[in-house]
Structures are given as structure tokens and as C-alpha cells.
Amino acid sequence: MTASPAVVAYHVRSGITGLNVVTGALGVDPVTAAAAVHFVRNPDEMAARLDALAAAGRPAVAAWSFYSTDFTRMAADLAAVRARTAAPALHVAGGVHATSEPLATLRAGFDLVAIGEGEATLVALVAALATGGDPRAVRGLGYLDGGGALHTTGTADRRPLDAFPPFNPRAGRWNAIEITRGCIYACSFCQTPFMFKARFRHRSIPDVVHWVRTMVEQGGRYVRFLTPTALSYGSQDESVDLAAVDALLGAVRAALPAGGKLYFGTFPSELRPEHVTPEAMAVLARWVDNRHLVLGGQSGSARVLAAMRRGHSVDDVERAVAVAVAAGFVPDVDLLLGLPGEDPADQALTMQLAERLTRAGARIHSHAFMPLPGTPLKDAPPAPITPAVADALERLEGRARSYGQWRQQEARAAELVQLRRR
């Protein structure tokens, strides 16, 4: 009889939500429902837990998940774990970076990579360990063969969102509830549509309500949602299904306790500007507690918007801000600088837009372009952010009209460029 396996999740940085979701999926399958899940937050904790499991004779999966911007740091943490223990665990990396760069991820020292959606893959992997099967026969994995080449085991199962919990209810590890996966817009700088396909899959309203009630039963008093475009809920194309959005928000509000908070259209569920209408704002105003809304504006240059395949105009952004402000909301508008091919004139147009938007009542959430693996722009070097634009951003920040991590993102972009050149 094979000893019951355990999963040790490296619960830090950009991997927290992904690890909550994939470890929560274990409870769906009767073979894996009893698998213990441990959450650790540094290399020492990971090594100690793996040592304890090895001493008990229990097979272990060390689960890692991270964005591309965290890859270098996570690879260093893995090296630190391996330096501290020789416990025979399988170190498995998942998430957008492992999916987009499986060979580089494996060469960093991970034993396996989960390619694509990880819920079904982790369940099958733990089930294989529980029944004495071969982990490398599980679909959706990649590993290095004897010659150091990448070998993959096919495509991971792509199941309806309702098939798995949106967090780990058994461990009480909550996060924003994913209501939509995939994105039809396929903006050239974004990893989401290229990992999850350029189409929408929505979690049903009864399933969302079930998990909201679960959170409430465990003491939760607020809920957020994870979606690439919040007002696309219930739709399969560019249209907005306000009846579906209204039904979702009304049902969630009814499931919350008195005084419970409902956040929608704010991080991590931004709005596309062309979806912002007086009717949509009336629906949100009826149900949500947030007074700030995140709008994806990205650029003040029509040429740049077209090049990144955004699917909306500069005028759409300005109109959306006016409509949101009239409805009593404060729009936080994402603007992205340093896109490949962007010239100083394009950046000047973006800063002119920023000034107009702030005068209209918005705040600017500033970003610097990063060439993320798995996107069409993965090999494209960023355009430098001009000193004039940097000064203009700092003036907006000084007036509390702009915020964001564009400086850190510039540094991360440089790291990603160097990684691609290795």
C-alpha cells in the first residue's frame, strides 16, 4: 500500500491564488481528497516540511507557481531548498511562466512543469502517487528527458470552471473568485488569452453563490472577483450581457451577511472602456461597495492602441471616464508606457491623455511594458520611457493623481530581456 501523498505549496508572491486553486481541486476527486496540503512561505519551511514527510515515508509534491516577473527569485528559492534537503520530493512548477517557458523552468531545477491549466493535472499527479502510478504519465506535464531535451505529455484537461473550487475551502485559503477564464481580446502584451485561449469560460451564478456562502460560513465578509474583463461576464463575444451581470451581483449580495462587502470592477476585475455605459454604471451602483473602478485605457496614441490590438479608441477611454464620474465612481485608468515601437510622440499623447483624464476626475495607474513570455511581444525590447514622461508621471504622483509601479516594472523588463538573451 502506497503511503498517502502530501502537497507542500510554496505560498508566496504571485503564486498564492494559483496554489489555492490547484490545491483546492484535490478535494473534488475521492482519490486525492485525503491528501494533506501544507503551506510554507520560505525555503527553510519548505525544506523542513519535506524532511518531515520523507522521514514519515510519505511521497511529496512541492508545488510552485509564479509569474514571469518572479521567476529569477523563485529559481533562487528552489536552489536554497535543494541546498538544505535531499528529501525525494517532486518539485513541480505551474502558472503562466512555466507554461510559456517550460524548458527554462526545468533547467532552473524543477522536476516537472504543469503546462496550461493546473487543476486536473495536479489531481492526476497526486492520484498517480497515491496509487503507485508513474507521475510522468500524467497529461499536461513537461520534463527533461535523459538528453536534457523537453518532453511533454500532451495537453492538460480544460474543464468547466464549475468543476473545481475557486480557492481552497478545506484549508480556508480564500482569494478573489474567478468568474471568467480566457479572453477574446488577445491584447499583444497580455499572457491571459495565450495561456487560457482567446475565448471566455464563465463560472455559473449558482456555483459562485455556493462558494460565497462557503466563505461566509468560514467567517468571510467580503468578496472580490477575478476576470480579465468584468462586464464580459455571461457573454461570448464583444457584447455586454447586463442582465447576467445584474443577476450575478444580486445573487452574491443576497449571499453576503449584513455589512458584507462586494467589490466588482476593481482589482482584479477591470473594465474595458467601451463597456462603460450609464446603464452598466447603474447596475454596479445598485450592488457594489467599491467607489473606485479600474479602466483599461493603456495608451493615448491611436496608433499604439491598434498595434497592441486593444479594440477600443482613445475617445472610448475619455467617454468612459466621464460616464463613470457622472455615476459617482472614481475611475483608475491603467496606462501602459514603453511598448515596442512606441516613440516619444506616442508617449507625449499618452501623457496628454493622462492630464485630460485627471482633470475629468480620474486617477492614473501607470505601468511600464514588460515583454512577458507566451505573448506575441515576448521577444520585443521595450521602448525607453523618456525623461519628459518620467517627470510628468512624477508630477502627477506629487498631486496624488497617479500611482503605480512603473519604475520597478522597468527594472523587471530589463531582467526579462536579459533572460531571453541567455
Side-chain angles (χ1 to χ4, degrees):
M1 180 78 178
T2 303
S4 175
V7 175
V8 185
Y10 198 60
H11 209 233
V12 300
R13 301 190 186 108
S14 55
I16 289 174
T17 295
L19 290 170
N20 288 348
V21 171
V22 296
T23 58
L26 296 172
V28 172
D29 191 300
V31 176
T32 60
V37 178
H38 307 276
F39 296 90
V40 298
R41 297 189 61 84
N42 58 60
D44 287 335
E45 288 183 10
M46 173 69 86
R49 179 62 62 180
L50 295 180
D51 281 340
L53 291 167
R58 298 181 64 185
V61 173
W64 305 67
S65 180
F66 42 86
Y67 294 159
S68 298
T69 50
D70 280 331
F71 171 61
T72 301
R73 286 176 289 182
M74 299 294 262
D77 286 355
L78 172 64
V81 171
R82 290 199 180 279
R84 287 164 171 75
T85 178
L90 281 174
H91 289 271
V92 183
V96 289
H97 188 84
T99 294
S100 302
E101 296 283 349
L103 183 58
T105 304
L106 291 165
R107 287 176 174 171
F110 294 95
D111 299 305
L112 299 169
V113 292
I115 300 174
E117 301 186 16
E119 294 99 329
T121 300
L122 184 63
V123 169
L125 177 60
V126 174
L129 292 175
T131 58
D134 180 5
R136 291 190 172 191
V138 170
R139 287 179 58 190
L141 291 176
Y143 57 88
L144 297 179
D145 64 19
L150 173 66
H151 180 82
T152 59
T153 60
T155 305
D157 287 343
R158 195 178 297 276
R159 298 185 188 175
L161 294 192
D162 286 13
F164 298 108
F167 48 79
N168 189 322
R170 184 173 62 171
R173 303 279 177 161
W174 315 326
N175 44 258
I177 294 177
E178 185 181 26
I179 57 172
T180 300
R181 184 175 290 184
C183 184
I184 65 170
Y185 293 99
C187 302
S188 59
F189 57 84
C190 179
Q191 289 175 311
T192 295
F194 302 100
M195 178 172 177
F196 297 125
K197 302 300 182 186
R199 64 184 182 90
F200 293 133
R201 280 183 293 152
H202 305 294
R203 190 178 295 273
S204 72
I205 292 174
D207 197 63
V208 173
V209 169
H210 168 75
W211 294 115
V212 171
R213 287 176 175 159
T214 299
M215 292 172 65
V216 169
E217 290 167 1
Q218 294 182 352
R221 296 185 59 80
Y222 71 90
V223 62
R224 296 181 184 272
F225 301 100
L226 175 61
T227 166
T229 160
L231 288 171
S232 293
Y233 181 78
S235 176
Q236 291 300 325
D237 54 31
E238 292 86 353
S239 64
V240 172
D241 186 346
L242 274 185
V245 174
D246 188 50
L248 170 71
L249 298 179
V252 170
R253 173 60 71 191
L256 286 170
K261 302 297 184 182
L262 192 170
Y263 300 101
F264 184 87
T266 188
F267 181 82
S269 58
E270 72 170 32
L271 309 177
R272 288 184 61 85
E274 73 272 27
H275 291 170
V276 177
T277 62
E279 295 78 13
M281 294 301 94
V283 169
L284 268 58
R286 182 158 55 247
W287 300 117
V288 307
D289 290 287
N290 50 287
R291 302 276 41 102
H292 283 255
L293 297 173
V294 178
L295 308 182
Q298 312 309 351
S299 179
S301 165
R303 185 184 72 84
V304 170
L305 287 176
M308 70 173 87
R309 304 201 298 254
R310 274 297 290 174
H312 65 75
S313 68
V314 176
D315 287 344
D316 287 333
V317 179
E318 296 195 70
R319 181 197 50 77
V321 165
V323 170
V325 169
F329 291 101
V330 178
D332 288 353
V333 182
D334 285 331
L335 292 180
L336 179 59
L337 293 152
L339 282 148
E342 185 180 65
D343 61 28
D346 295 314
Q347 292 188 10
L349 287 171
T350 296
M351 295 314 301
Q352 290 166 21
L353 174 64
E355 289 288 351
R356 295 196 301 274
L357 296 180
T358 57
R359 288 196 297 269
R363 294 193 307 171
I364 303 304
H365 188 194
S366 53
H367 302 267
F369 166 77
M370 294 183 288
L372 297 175
T375 70
L377 298 178
K378 63 184 174 65
D379 294 319
I385 295 177
T386 69
V389 166
D391 290 344
L393 286 171
E394 289 174 359
R395 287 194 297 272
L396 285 174
E397 290 168 353
R399 289 159 36 204
R401 303 312 304 165
S402 179
Y403 66 102
Q405 298 184 320
W406 62 274
R407 299 172 186 82
Q408 297 94 317
Q409 290 164 351
E410 268 197 306
R412 290 279 182 269
E415 290 179 8
L416 290 169
V417 169
Q418 290 302 314
L419 284 172
R420 297 297 299 174
R421 291 174 176 169
R422 289 179 185 173

